[in-house]
């Protein structure tokens, strides 16, 4: 989770992630983790700037050969 998503937008100062959306997102992540665990896997969740967190995670895992991501669309 990128804490910057809880800050205001550039134009109007509204939060990018409001309380209802955050609740939905957390419940979705919980459900996904539970589903993955029933299939013998898991979900890694971290809080921080993705450019830092992903780098740290790659270092911790040590055997990463490919990283795939998407960029947020900005209007």
């Amino acid at each position: 989770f990128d804490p910057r998503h809880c800050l205001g937008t550039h134009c109007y100062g509204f939060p990018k992630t409001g309380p209802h959306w955050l609740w939905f997102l957390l419940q979705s992540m919980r459900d996904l983790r539970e589903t993955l665990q029933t299939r013998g896997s898991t979900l890694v969740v971290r809080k921080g700037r993705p450019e830092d967190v992903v780098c740290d995670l790659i270092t911790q895992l040590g055997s990463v050969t490919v990283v795939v991501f998407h960029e947020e669309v900005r209007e």
Side-chain angles (χ1 to χ4, degrees):
F1 292 101
D2 188 343
R4 295 174 291 190
H5 286 274
C6 296
L7 302 174
T9 62
H10 299 288
C11 298
Y12 302 106
F14 293 111
K16 291 182 179 183
T17 306
H20 298 290
W21 180 251
L22 184 58
W23 181 87
F24 171 76
L25 185 60
L26 292 172
Q27 294 301 317
S28 298
M29 294 296 104
R30 179 180 294 154
D31 183 62
L32 177 58
R33 176 179 275 156
E34 290 172 1
T35 301
L36 289 170
Q37 287 175 340
T38 64
R39 291 174 167 78
S41 189
T42 192
L43 177 67
V44 176
V45 178
R46 298 287 188 267
K47 177 184 172 189
R49 295 167 43 124
E51 55 270 27
D52 300 328
V53 172
V54 172
C55 208
D56 293 342
L57 191 56
I58 290 170
T59 302
Q60 288 175 3
L61 295 173
S63 61
V64 177
T65 57
V66 176
V67 176
V68 179
F69 64 93
H70 78 278
E71 184 176 351
E72 181 180 356
V73 177
R74 292 184 168 225
E75 297 179 19

